[in-house]
Amino acid sequence: MSAISLGNLDISYGDTKVVHGVSLDISEGESFALVGESGSGKSTILRAIAGLAPDWTGEIAVLGKARSHGVDRDVARQVQMVFQDPYGSLHPRKTIDAVLSEPLDINGIGSRGERVEAMLNAVGLDQRFRFRFPHQLSGGQRQRVAIARALMLEPKVLLLDEPTSALDVSVQAEILNLLKRLRREQGLTYLLVTHNLPVVSFLCDRLAVMRQGRIVEVADVALLKSGRLVEPYSRELLEATAGRDASLADTPS
Amino acid sequence: MTTRDWLLDDSPTSRWQASAGRAYRVFTALLRNPLSVVGGVIILVLVLTAIFAPFLAPYSATGQDLANRLAPPSDMHWMGTDELGRDIFSRVIWGSQITLTIVLLVALISAPLGLLIGAVAGYFGGWTDRVLMGITDIFLSMPKLILALAFVAALGPGINNAIIAIAITSWPAYARIARAETLTIRNAEFIAAVRLQGASPVRVIVRHILPLCTSSMIIRVTLDMAGVILTAAGLGFLGLGAQPPLPEWGAMISRGRTFILDQWWVATMPGFAIIVVSLGFCFLGDGLRDVLDPKSEGK
Amino acid sequence: ATPADALVIAQNIDDIVALDPAQAYEFTSGEINTNVYDRLVGYEAEDTTVLAAGLASEWVADDAAKTITFTLRDATFASGNPVRPEDVVFSFSRVIKLNLTPAFILAQLGWTPENIADMVTIADGKVVVKYEGDFSSAFVLNVLASRPASIVDEVLVMEHAEGEDLGNAWLNTHSAGSGPFVMSDYRPAEIVRLTANESYFRGAPAMKSVIIRHVAEAATQQLLLTSGDVDLAKNLTPDQIAGLPADTVKVETYPQAAVHFLSFNQKTESLTPPAVWEAARYLVDYDGMTQSFLKGQMEIHQAFWPKGFPGSYDETPFTHDVEKAKQILADAGIETPINVTLDVINSAPFTDMAQSLQATFAEAGINFEILPGTGAQVITKYRDRTHQAMLLYWGPDFMDPHSNAKAFAYNSDNSDGNYTATTTWRNAWAVPQELNDQVTAALAESDQAKRNEDYIAIQKEVQANSPIVIMFQAALTIAMANNVEGYVNGATSDFVYYRLVTKN
Amino acid sequence: MSTLLSVQNLRVSFPTHRGRVEVVKGISFTLGRERLGIVGESGSGKSMTGRAILKLIRKPGLVTADRLDFDGVDILAQSERQMRAIRGARISMVMQDPKFSLNPVMTVGEQIAEALVTHEKLPRRAVNERILAMLEAVRIDDPQRVAGLYPQEVSGGMGQRVMIAMMLIPEPELLIADEPTSALDVSVQAQVLDIIDDLVTRKGMGLILISHDLNLVSRYCDRILVMNAGTVVEECAAGELDKAQHPYTRGLLAAMPVIDETRDELPVLDRTQWAGT
Amino acid sequence: MLGFVFTVFLTFLGLLAITFFIGRVIPIDPVLSVVGDRATPAVYEAAKVQMGLDQPLPIQFFNYVVGVFSGDLGKSVSTGRAVVDDLSRFFPATLEMATIGIIIGVALGVPLGVIAASRQGSVVDQIIRVVGLLGYSMPAFWLGLVGLAVFYARLRWVGGPGRLDIFYDGLVSPVTGLILVDSLLAGEVDIFWNAVSHLILPASVLGFFSLAYIARMTRSFMLDQLSQEFVTTARVKGVPERVVIWRHAFNPIRVPLITVIGLSYAGLLEGSVMIETVFSWPGIGNYLTTALLNADMNAVLGSTLVIGAVFIFINKVSDVLYRVLDPRAR
Ligand SMILES: Nc1ncnc2c1ncn2[C@@H]1O[C@H](COP(=O)(O)OP(=O)(O)OP(=O)(O)O)[C@@H](O)[C@H]1O
Ligand SMILES: Nc1ncnc2c1ncn2[C@@H]1O[C@H](COP(=O)(O)OP(=O)(O)OP(=O)(O)O)[C@@H](O)[C@H]1O
Ligand SMILES: [Mg+2]
Ligand SMILES: [Mg+2]
């Protein structure tokens, strides 16, 4: 069964259509990347799947069930989203404990204390962070909390919108490792948005390249690694990344 | 571990410690701001005066002594006596209870009301917003004192009704602020996140949006307190505030205004009390603005 | 400084609703009417206590035929039109036909819109006034000296009539009288300007204009007066007056006809026992108030007809005596405390009086909760008889003791439907039948001395045994610039005269 | 090579509820007419160092240094007024976040013009020409139109280029560029940095390039300072970054995934070792 | 545009409905204000019918609204005149005072706020704040009376209560109702200066209150701006402090400031009963209050309508200015 399937999806904000006829099929347990230029509609697709961009036509199905246009409670336990900005995605007046208990509370799940504790361990946060406020955490720590929050309801699918782009490399590495481990342990499906090809290479199985609201290429990560993307725009991205990294090409890996 | 360390602990071990720590940080930040310290001391004095009025007031607030009316300030009567020979100092002290009641009740009625209406309007948008804001605009474009006056006239005289009237007239301003703030918050990702977890709109508004609007509301309310006290005084000016012989400050000034040229102390002493208390609230509000402002709280 | 030929007055004039004598019913409009209009007979500036000739130079009363025949003097209106008998007929009949508030004063004479053409007629160039009812011609003359009996200029008024209003709208902003002044400008809540009528039959007034400025705030009036920008300040409080500089300002006191009273609504169970009424009379701190905040503003008076007028009863048997009051209540087995509300107009001195009453009544266990309200609010409640205790005042409609006897001692039908503007009905006091009869009899009495005796008897009865505690008679203290002479202020606002004023 | 800037024991501190906290803890370096890169993780004090050089740290913040000389001028001793003559004209700084660093109610053209005319009296026409030329230089296609736009009407990448244009136009002797290209996509990034590079080589401008992107810094700089928690942990020539010794630097390098990634797990920094944040 | 007209219409209707309702629940009998308290039942009933108060409430309201749209606001029972005439006299008086007041408030409040913000924490800042806060907390009538006692009665620097000295009263016929304008139109310079001397004190008292509010809001807006990054950018460019403050920090706050000023102007245009009473100023605040206390509903509704219109108008103007001045809003 496919985890996410999009059929001929158009998405608009008011009068402007920003995503044009996107079709995708992501199978369960896969890690799929959306890359492409800024403003091409990557985040918008994620928001539409989550129900946050309700103005769409076409088909969206999650785990075989068609999505409604709004946020909907049943889906909450199957799909969760992690946002790009670790600074804006946590309520500034709530402790980490409150943030993580909230989904349990909403869905009437008991034994919150233990679950929160376990989840903090799972994302590699020390218990001493539990009662801190977000401003007392670093960006990487906040992003861990955001991931933990998304995992609280044990969803099958995670939508990740540039989860590391606001973080510096050392923190990025921690988050990427975490995501990789969680996927392995819990059999999650990822739909990841990023503009960083090395990240795709590290974390994903397949990728789709987007430009101006359209998917220009869908490829296997192996092709990316070996530099064999075909579309011109994909190649452009690839070359610029490679050129920049050239100076450190001999970095030990 | 001292209490202070416990409060400032970066890794609190309970919710309670976390919120206590936050409160303590706000408190110490306020202490660093001289004007807000002054303001806080004034409010503290007001509260203590109100609590201990029976012990502090040298005379009764209502005891008349017609033979000794309109006496200038002296050893006996620190603030002089009024037109019925009552000791103004004692009346000012007793009046602190009324002032405090006014301030508290208005804050407790109008701020939550405005907060709720504004948040609902801002969160739902669309027709809900249009209708609620239409009503708010109607109330806002109505002359404030008149509205209060009409309510007092309709409800009957008395300090409680005056308070309700003032509260009813002051919520629209709060509703606007709350709405504006909600509009900026409602698209925040942390709101999107709780919605994705299946939170109902009521829950989102009550648990996530309102707590964020409260700090600017607290600031606004403290700043408006001067205005509230003065509106009460304005109702007193028209004879519709507190019922005599209650020592409400505004009513005292307005009764004393005929004496202002010859017996200045009758109107000026309670006026002075109003100014001091209003200043207290304003200073505190200013201080809170600097301290509670989420922008400055980031680091 | 003010101009030498103008009298500038600071006064609160926002009570004015109407200035047409057929409609005017407020204090300030009464004053203005008095200076703008003449009546057939009236109390004149030279002596406000004696009924004198007005536009009628002489009159003959026929008590048997119930007619009075008036001979008009040779006078002209300010417009230049002559004053004709037709104007008198017009003036009276328009009051009756318009049937606005003050119409009841004239209607007492048995006049109705249907019969008015027969009741006021012209014969031989004289005006013949007929009346119906059991009362003396003295009473009729008092009625005809009242404000609605003012004579207006028919020609001028009818030029400005609109529809059926007989010039009512126009007269509310203009004047059409023969009096010493013409109202040349009226802007509500701002100013009334009176200009001398050079052709006034008693001679043109010395002041070329009288300017009444609306100044609501007493302290502002005080500032204006001490700064010399007004000549007269009408609404100063006694305390302000006490502080005025004697070298530039003088103060005159004028006894007024209004009486101030505390009344108990008989619909309130706890206020019905006569013992409570009696005890109340001992619980008022008469001296305390008149010697402090009411000083110069009121004097003790405990009967309904004011001192200084024929028929008044000036004894003041009650003093503040808490022990006695307690005794009375105890003897009658009244349970205290009695908790009632006290309605009061929310301005000085009423609120102060209420507080004093509150303090002294509390000593005997009668606790007032003071409910201040605006005049209109208090009256609305009073009219609906929903108050408990009420602190208010009453001024006679016209200067005849019957005006007050009817208000304080007469109530023939106490039912809710029978609205009457009397103190008795409004307090739901069913007046004993004998007292009602006494009032009717006094009205019919033609012997003046006997009549006065009757009224004194009635007043004694009301004083001894009624739920109305009459406490004070008002006085008006007016501060004016030292150079103002000849200002006349009688017992009501109907007797305020500017025509003798001079400044030197 | 003459020394343009010399910094010795620079400290920046801010008061917090537990006393003053130093965010820059006594760093020292000198700079000639060359390109210096500063790298380090977020919060390590890179931006604060840049601001301190321009005396831009405001009140509760405190800057001290044994020495902070720019071209023989003691910066710390300069009055605000004297600093104004230095800022822009002689030292200028590309601010980190163009979204917040551009005035929302002035067109970008006006803002660039302001940088120019503050230090140089020029006829209007000449100003215009210089602006357009500068915008073109930072690879903005339609300079005429963009000059008339307001900051919120340009994309993040454009904003960064505007910022660079604005700071380059007075032709300063020292440019501090704080994450100047983070919002640009990789191909534009290269072009813009080439222009800056060109100014350094042609006009002898000094450059401090702040970034946490090690690839970028190593490519465009001569020397690199690696900062961590307010201190300089390593200083090396750019070409020798891959030979860096400090474990922190090595950690940073290793943490970057590469396009042909084969590792199953990225090595992460062991923060406890450097008493980091 | 149509949507705007529609919302304005609804707002007005709501305004009228609420005012109307209030007027009916006030325990004051409007008939009594017309006929006085001693009228006979017949007179009372006749007046009630004549005022249309015998009809059911919805009909009364409907009739009133219909009247409003034909430009008829009815007759005031407390002045006996058409409400339109009353308003055309009382409103200009308030307008004149409020306008001068807001000019004073803005001319002093804005610079003071800017100065305070640019020297945050300094003695100057504290003084400005305290003075401003005093304006917040002083009872208006107290300040007005003391002002009169000092500047008029004692020092004689200004004219007294009222709009003109008594000799000048009524000399120029009202055209706009604004004496300052009318006197100039009539070429009466003396009267103009006399009007100024009467206006200056009450307007200053009003001005002080708006000054307090405007200064504090200016200060707070400026502080927000001064901590923005783009202000630092301006400093990086080396622009003079004056330019930093006025061009970079002040320009962006013009819009919120205009809203603040607009709202306080609207507040002043409501008229202040207290100031008007103390200064014997025939303004709308007094008119409205007196009318309300007499249940003179036509006058109350008429005034509310005018004040509501002013409010909506000012709101609209600030919206337009918003779009003109702030590129972010375009
Ligand atoms: N709330 C919104 N209202 C209107 N337009 C929007 C909104 N959000 C995004 N857009 C527009 O939709 C388009 C796609 O935006 P989206 O955020 O999906 O891009 P993206 O691919 O995620 O880009 P980035 O890499 O910069 O995050 C853009 O042109 C953007 O301007
Ligand atoms: N006003 C302030 N008060 C207290 N601490 C501050 C203040 N401003 C900055 N800091 C702290 O100074 C430290 C250094 O900040 P700086 O901006 O220099 O980091 P950076 O290296 O530029 O990071 P980034 O890569 O995220 O831009 C941070 O930990 C920050 O929290
Ligand atoms: Mg995106
Ligand atoms: Mg930085």
Side-chain angles (χ1 to χ4, degrees), chain C residues 101 186-187 190 213 395 426, chain E residues 35 37-38 81 89 169:
Chain C
T101 309
Y186 164 49
R187 279 173 273 144
E190 200 175 344
R213 289 182 60 176
R426 288 177 177 191
Chain E
V35 298
D37 71 323
R38 297 203 189 160
R81 303 185 178 209
R89 228 162 41 75
D169 185 83

Side-chain angles (χ1 to χ4, degrees), chain B residues 279-292:
Chain B
L279 278 183
F281 276 111
C282 287
F283 287 162
L284 190 65
D286 262 10
L288 284 174
R289 194 186 68 89
D290 295 341
V291 175
L292 281 185

Side-chain angles (χ1 to χ4, degrees), chain C residues 1-3 8 14 16-17 23 25 99-101 104 173 186-191 193 211 213-217 219-220 223-224 227 229 374 376-377 379-380 383 394-397 419 421 426, chain E residues 27-29 32-44 77-81 86 89-90 145 148-149 152-153 156 161-164 166-167 169-170 277-280 282 290 293-294:
Chain C
T2 56
V8 183
D14 66 11
I16 298 180
V17 169
Q23 189 183 356
Y25 208 80
N99 196 15
L100 298 166
T101 309
F104 77 91
T173 48
Y186 164 49
R187 279 173 273 144
E190 200 175 344
I191 201 167
R193 188 188 290 269
I211 296 159
R213 289 182 60 176
H214 172 63
V215 181
E217 180 62 43
T220 309
L223 283 173
L224 278 165
S227 305
D229 284 341
T374 63
Q377 217 173 350
I379 295 296
T380 303
R383 194 180 186 278
W394 173 276
D397 297 315
Y419 169 75
R426 288 177 177 191
Chain E
I28 299 177
D29 186 344
L32 286 182
S33 343
V34 188
V35 298
D37 71 323
R38 297 203 189 160
T40 57
V43 171
Y44 178 89
V77 295
S78 46
T79 65
R81 303 185 178 209
D86 279 343
R89 228 162 41 75
F90 289 107
L145 276 173
L148 268 183
Y152 159 68
R156 300 226 136 243
R163 296 179 79 186
L164 281 177
I166 208 72
F167 346 97
D169 185 83
T277 305
V278 165
F279 287 94
S280 295
T290 315
L293 296 181
N294 286 309

